[in-house]
């Protein structure tokens, strides 16, 4: 039943499309007693130029088609319904009446169009096959979202047990779902994305802690702990690694131990022991439910902070090889080309790596070449960019560039001061007993750092927009991550947390997008293989030193820049920051821009930007250890704003689930299908 009409008191057109659970006979609405399953209503003001009658005819024609009718009958969301409209229009062939010379033209076109539609529906979604006459049954790899993983059970370790029951039933599919070429591309990309921070942060860590830990320890930690985590974690899409906040803590704790004449590497063992105690208590009482209070307001501030750190560190680190070369030229007799050549080539290699990877990512959604080739080039954009920049660097023989430094063999960074097993009672002198108990204070600080970064990263990766169906495990993953870090301290290797930018990049690389004029996320290839292989490759990199030392380190800085910029995609705060510079008439058709006044939206954005600036200043100041506490303050700030500065309805669209983020096209997109027919 299609109902259209105009009403003078309306300000804009309104559409309603209803699918009844059971067909009913509407005696008062229809002259013929026919069961009705679909109802389409279009009403609007009389002042508009819209032809309601023609719109109604178009909708009636759609519903009269058996293929579209079946698609509308089985659609599980409004997105599937609009996709069905797009598929129908893609297969339409319009012939002006004056061009029809005889019926033979129609008889030849109709079978071709039916075959075209049949093939398109088979490729896009098996649920929309023309020969399917029943609703699809739920399976382990698809279906409704899992239950709330943060709901408290009231039982000791109840949340962790529930995580195990919910997530481990998919363990077999976590292996079989990895049989996909897109997973191979993700492995190569994330390998370099994980190797680069491990080496870079390892070098910075060695400098901060007097070489007591360095590249060797961080690479082994990233490899061993990464393999264990991906094999048993509830959310194996997360990529664990070292981070800036943890580097700040290590430096502060080392300086404290040095000032008190305490063995730093032994003190970490006792901090690790307390970490295990703390996390067991927190998980036993389901403390992860506190994540409920971390709204989009805090998540997006933290996400942009991490992305900006990656972008800033890219340019900050670009200076290092130039300084090293300058010192090398002035302290040795080796003749090199002038310093500006190194500066120019280093910058070209960095921007070249970024540009090639970024534009191959965009090329995937273009018009040139068949879709499979475009997707192949886009998915392997990062390794292609690195290979090309290595070739450029090798071809330019007369200019020095610093290469990737990888340790040779399994040896500690400072073999004179420590081994692979740390004595908790002291390496070279007795460790103070009072400090064994006092270590609970720095342990609490480390726990807060890991808790915030890991849980916020899990929230970001598991957003409903990604349509991940296997669920997450906040309690289980926290216990695994912190316990591994605490126990690893006895081996003198760094503790890790879920790395936000690397995890988001991993999830994006595993995201499958729908085909059509407006691609949407179909699913994420939730599996364990890519994480395990990446961690294994990072560990084997120690044995691949002859090959990896050919890579210029500035090419890895390009990957830093690529991850920082691409991770901004999908962050609503970043989109709203850009809207500050865009006239209102060009604002997107999103709830936060259409259902909230522009002025109020800009005020909300400005408040988040101030919070971001404060966090940046704290991070860059001597009190950088207070960063997690300042970040926590954004939670009560958001609560204070609700009902005072902004109404609950406004907060719903600006900071709630209705404020849906927009994700860029990721691996699997094929906007211009080869079977698309011109109208």
């Amino acid at each position: 039943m299609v109902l259209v009409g105009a009403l003078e008191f309306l300000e804009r057109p309104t559409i309603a499309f209803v699918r009844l659970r059971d067909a009913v006979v509407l005696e008062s609405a229809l002259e013929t007693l026919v069961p009705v399953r679909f109802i389409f209503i279009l009403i609007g003001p009389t002042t508009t130029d819209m032809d309601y009658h023609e719109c109604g005819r178009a909708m009636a024609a759609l519903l009269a088609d058996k293929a579209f009718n079946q698609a509308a009958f089985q659609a599980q969301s409004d997105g599937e319904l609009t996709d069905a409209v797009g598929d129908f229009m893609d297969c339409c062939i319009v012939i002006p009446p004056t061009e029809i010379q005889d019926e033979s033209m129609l008889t030849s076109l109709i079978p071709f169009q039916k075959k075209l539609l049949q093939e398109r529906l088979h490729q896009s979604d098996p649920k929309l096959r023309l020969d399917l006459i029943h609703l699809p049954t739920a399976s382990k790899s698809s279906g409704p979202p899992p239950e709330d993983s943060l709901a408290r059970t009231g039982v000791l370790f109840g949340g962790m047990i529930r995580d195990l029951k919910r997530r481990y039933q998919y363990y077999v599919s976590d292996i079989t779902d990895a049989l996909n070429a897109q997973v191979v591309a993700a492995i190569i990309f994330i390998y370099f994305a994980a190797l680069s921070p491990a080496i870079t942060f390892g070098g910075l860590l060695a400098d901060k802690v007097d070489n007591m830990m360095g590249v060797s320890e961080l690479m082994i930690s990233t490899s061993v702990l990464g393999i264990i985590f991906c094999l048993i974690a509830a959310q194996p899409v997360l990529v664990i690694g070292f981070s800036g906040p943890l580097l700040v803590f290590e430096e502060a704790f080392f300086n404290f131990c040095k000032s008190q004449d305490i063995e730093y590497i032994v003190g970490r063992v006792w901090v690790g022991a307390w970490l295990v105690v703390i996390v067991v208590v927190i998980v036993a009482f389901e403390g992860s439910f506190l994540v409920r209070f971390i709204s989009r307001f805090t998540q997006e501030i933290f996400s942009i902070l991490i992305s900006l750190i990656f972008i800033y560190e890219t340019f900050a680190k670009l200076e290092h090889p130039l300084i090293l070369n300058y010192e090398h030229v002035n302290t040795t007799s080796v003749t090199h080309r002038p310093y500006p050549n190194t500066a120019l080539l280093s910058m070209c290699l960095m921007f070249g790596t970024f540009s090639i990877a970024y534009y191959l990512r965009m090329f995937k959604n273009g018009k040139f070449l068949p879709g499979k080739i475009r997707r192949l080039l886009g998915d392997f954009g990062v390794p292609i960019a690195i290979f090309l920049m290595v070739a450029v660097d090798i071809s330019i023989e007369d200019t020095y560039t610093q290469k990737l430094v990888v340790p040779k063999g399994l040896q500690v960074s400072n073999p004179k001061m420590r081994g692979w097993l740390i004595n908790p009672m002291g390496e070279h002198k007795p460790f103070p007993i009072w400090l064994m108990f006092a270590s609970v204070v720095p342990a609490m600080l480390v726990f807060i750092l890991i808790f915030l970064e890991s849980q916020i990263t899990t929230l970001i990766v598991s957003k409903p927009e990604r349509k991940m169906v296997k669920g997450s495990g906040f309690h289980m993953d926290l216990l695994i991550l912190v316990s591994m870090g605490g126990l690893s301290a006895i081996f003198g290797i760094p503790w890790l947390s879920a790395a936000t930018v690397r995890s988001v990049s991993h999830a994006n690389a595993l995201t499958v997008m729908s085909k059509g004029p407006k691609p949407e996320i179909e699913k994420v290839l939730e599996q364990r293989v890519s994480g395990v292989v990446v961690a294994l490759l990072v560990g084997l990199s120690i044995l691949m030193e002859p090959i990896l030392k050919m890579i210029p380190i500035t090419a890895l800085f390009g990957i830093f820049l690529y991850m920082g910029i691409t991770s901004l995609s999908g962050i609503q705060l970043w989109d709203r920051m850009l809207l500050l510079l865009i006239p209102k008439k060009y604002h997107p058709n999103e709830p936060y821009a259409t259902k909230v006044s522009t002025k109020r939206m800009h005020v909300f954005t400005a408040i988040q930007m101030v919070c971001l600036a404060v966090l940046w200043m704290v991070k860059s100041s001597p009190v950088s250890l207070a960063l997690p506490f300042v970040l926590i303050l954004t939670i009560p700030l958001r609560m204070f704003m609700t009902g005072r500065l902004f109404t609950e309805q406004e907060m719903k669209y600006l900071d709630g689930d209705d404020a849906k983020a927009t994700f860029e096209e990721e691996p699997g997109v094929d906007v211009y299908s080869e079977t698309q027919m011109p109208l």
Side-chain angles (χ1 to χ4, degrees):
M1 184 170 66
V2 178
L3 303 174
V4 297
L7 297 173
E8 295 182 356
F9 60 84
L10 292 177
E11 297 181 356
R12 61 179 182 179
T14 300
I15 294 177
F17 183 84
V18 181
R19 181 182 65 199
L20 300 178
R21 183 181 302 275
D22 300 305
V24 296
V25 177
L26 303 178
E27 298 181 4
S28 60
L30 294 176
E31 297 178 356
T32 306
L33 301 181
V34 178
V36 174
R37 193 62 180 273
F38 300 100
I39 301 175
F40 176 81
I41 301 174
L42 169 61
I43 54 176
T46 56
T47 56
T48 184
D49 295 332
M50 181 182 295
D51 191 329
Y52 301 111
H53 182 69
E54 290 300 322
C55 292
R57 287 185 59 187
M59 194 64 197
L62 276 172
L63 289 170
D65 179 79
K66 292 182 179 180
F68 179 82
N69 189 285
Q70 189 72 13
F73 178 77
Q74 297 173 350
Q76 300 296 312
S77 65
D78 55 351
E80 292 185 11
L81 189 64
T82 54
D83 288 344
V85 175
D87 288 336
F88 182 89
M89 297 304 297
D90 287 342
C91 297
C92 285
I93 302 174
V94 179
I95 305 176
T98 56
E99 298 297 324
I100 303 178
Q101 300 175 359
D102 51 45
E103 293 184 359
S104 61
M105 177 183 293
L106 296 179
T107 56
S108 61
L109 281 176
I110 291 176
F112 168 74
Q113 189 182 36
K114 285 185 176 180
K115 181 181 179 182
L116 181 68
L117 182 59
Q118 184 89 18
E119 292 177 351
R120 187 175 183 86
L121 293 177
H122 270 283
Q123 292 176 358
S124 61
D125 193 340
K127 293 185 296 184
L128 303 182
R129 291 182 297 182
L130 299 181
D131 58 348
L132 200 64
I133 59 174
H134 56 82
L135 288 174
T137 57
S139 64
K140 290 188 176 182
S141 60
S142 63
E147 72 275 11
D148 186 2
S149 58
L150 290 173
R152 302 190 70 183
T153 64
V155 181
L156 285 177
F157 295 100
M160 185 194 72
I161 295 173
R162 186 179 54 192
D163 290 343
L164 289 171
K165 292 180 178 179
R166 178 181 61 249
R167 191 61 181 81
Y168 279 22
Q169 62 178 318
Y170 302 120
Y171 205 94
V172 175
S173 66
D174 286 339
I175 308 300
T176 58
D177 289 350
L179 302 176
N180 190 299
Q182 189 169 326
V183 175
V184 178
I187 288 173
I188 298 176
F189 166 38
I190 299 301
Y191 164 63
F192 287 102
L195 179 65
S196 177
I199 294 174
T200 306
F201 278 124
L204 294 175
L205 180 62
D207 181 63
K208 302 293 185 184
V209 300
D210 198 18
N211 223 33
M212 295 302 293
M213 290 190 301
V215 177
S216 298
E217 289 81 4
L218 189 50
M219 290 183 67
I220 291 175
S221 177
T222 303
S223 177
V224 176
L225 301 188
I227 292 174
I228 296 173
F229 181 82
C230 290
L231 286 176
I232 63 177
Q235 183 51 276
V237 175
L238 296 180
V239 177
I240 65 173
F242 201 67
S243 64
L246 290 175
L247 179 64
V248 171
F249 168 81
E250 296 285 6
E251 180 183 9
F253 186 64
F254 175 79
N255 291 333
F256 169 78
C257 293
K258 188 176 181 179
S259 64
Q260 301 296 321
D261 195 24
I262 298 170
E263 288 186 298
Y264 156 76
I265 200 70
V266 179
R268 293 185 76 257
V269 175
W270 290 101
V271 173
W274 281 110
L275 270 177
V276 176
V277 175
I278 293 172
V279 73
V280 169
V281 173
I282 294 296
V283 172
F285 291 96
E286 303 177 291
S288 290
F289 86 95
L290 296 172
V291 177
R292 286 184 176 279
F293 299 101
I294 304 178
S295 66
R296 185 189 292 266
F297 181 84
T298 300
Q299 293 176 40
E300 296 191 334
I301 292 174
F302 181 77
S303 299
I304 290 189
L305 176 67
I306 300 298
S307 298
L308 293 180
I309 288 176
F310 263 72
I311 297 172
Y312 170 79
E313 291 297 328
T314 296
F315 295 97
K317 291 180 176 65
L318 183 62
E319 183 184 7
H320 292 178
L322 313 187
I323 295 176
L324 292 174
N325 178 54
Y326 183 75
E327 294 174 349
H328 186 63
V329 170
N330 286 276
T331 57
T332 67
S333 59
V334 180
T335 303
H336 288 292
R337 288 292 178 178
Y339 170 77
N341 288 353
T342 296
L344 178 60
L345 182 56
S346 297
M347 185 175 65
C348 290
L349 293 175
M350 184 192 76
F351 281 111
T353 304
F354 164 76
S355 301
I356 294 173
Y358 187 80
Y359 285 105
L360 282 178
R361 181 174 181 261
M362 297 177 61
F363 177 79
K364 182 172 48 180
N365 302 323
K367 304 177 182 178
F368 301 100
L369 302 182
K372 292 183 179 179
I373 298 179
R374 290 201 312 267
R375 286 195 294 272
L376 187 66
L377 291 174
D379 292 343
F380 289 87
V382 171
I384 290 174
I386 293 177
F387 176 80
L388 292 176
M389 289 302 100
V390 170
V392 170
D393 183 64
I394 294 175
S395 65
I396 303 177
E397 299 178 353
D398 59 349
T399 302
Y400 169 83
T401 55
Q402 184 185 359
K403 303 302 188 292
L404 188 61
V405 179
V406 182
K408 296 181 180 180
L410 297 174
Q411 61 179 6
V412 295
S413 299
N414 194 341
K416 295 182 180 180
M417 297 296 296
R418 52 156 296 192
W420 280 116
L421 192 63
I422 309 301
N423 184 359
M425 307 310 296
E427 284 284 294
H428 302 285
K429 56 185 177 181
F431 191 77
I433 296 179
W434 68 269
L435 195 54
M436 297 178 184
F437 296 95
S439 296
V440 67
V441 177
M444 292 179 63
L445 180 58
V446 176
F447 177 78
I448 293 175
L449 289 173
I450 298 177
F451 179 88
L452 285 177
E453 189 161 9
S454 300
Q455 302 291 52
I456 290 178
T457 301
T458 304
L459 284 173
I460 295 171
V461 169
S462 305
K463 280 183 177 180
E465 296 94 316
R466 293 192 185 274
K467 300 180 181 179
M468 300 175 75
V469 297
K470 295 183 180 179
S472 297
F474 290 89
H475 310 278
M476 184 67 185
D477 290 351
L478 182 66
L479 179 65
I480 295 172
L481 196 54
V482 179
S483 297
M484 287 193 311
L487 296 175
S488 65
I490 198 169
F491 300 103
I493 60 177
W495 32 62
L496 308 177
S497 66
T500 305
V501 173
R502 278 157 274 178
S503 298
V504 172
S505 299
H506 190 205
N508 288 344
L510 295 172
T511 299
V512 178
M513 304 294 290
S514 64
K515 298 180 181 180
K518 189 178 179 182
E520 295 182 353
I521 293 177
E522 281 188 349
K523 62 178 180 179
V524 176
L525 298 174
E526 302 174 66
Q527 38 74 47
R528 300 178 182 273
V529 175
S530 60
V532 172
V533 175
V534 166
L536 181 63
L537 289 176
V538 170
L540 293 177
S541 297
I542 299 178
L543 306 177
M544 296 190 294
E545 185 260 347
I547 298 176
L548 294 177
K549 70 179 182 181
M550 300 173 62
I551 301 176
I553 196 169
T554 49
L556 297 185
F557 295 166
I559 299 180
F560 264 63
L561 184 62
Y562 174 83
M563 290 192 299
I565 291 180
T566 55
S567 61
L568 291 173
S569 171
I571 301 178
Q572 187 206 110
L573 172 57
W574 177 252
D575 296 336
R576 286 191 276 105
M577 289 169 63
L578 297 179
L579 292 183
L580 293 171
L581 307 175
I582 299 177
K584 182 179 179 180
K585 62 181 180 180
Y586 299 116
H587 285 190
N589 187 26
E590 294 291 341
Y592 60 80
T594 59
K595 297 185 180 296
V596 181
S597 68
T598 303
K599 181 179 179 181
R600 304 280 288 172
M601 179 184 68
H602 289 339
V603 170
F604 188 82
T605 304
I607 293 175
Q608 286 184 292
M609 292 175 64
V610 170
C611 295
L612 181 63
V614 171
L615 286 171
W616 185 272
M617 289 187 293
V618 172
K619 181 200 77 70
S620 307
S621 69
V623 293
S624 54
L625 282 177
L627 180 65
F629 300 105
V630 178
L631 180 63
I632 290 175
L633 292 178
T634 60
I635 298 175
L637 173 63
R638 193 268 187 197
M639 295 178 178
F640 173 81
M641 291 163 50
T642 306
R644 293 178 175 86
L645 299 180
F646 300 92
T647 65
E648 291 188 2
Q649 190 71 9
E650 288 174 329
M651 294 298 286
K652 173 184 177 183
Y653 296 119
L654 290 169
D655 192 40
D657 293 336
D658 289 331
K660 185 176 70 172
T662 57
F663 284 83
E664 283 192 18
E665 291 78 14
E666 292 295 343
V669 183
D670 185 8
V671 177
Y672 297 91
S673 175
E674 290 80 44
T675 60
Q676 185 169 347
M677 294 293 294
L679 296 180

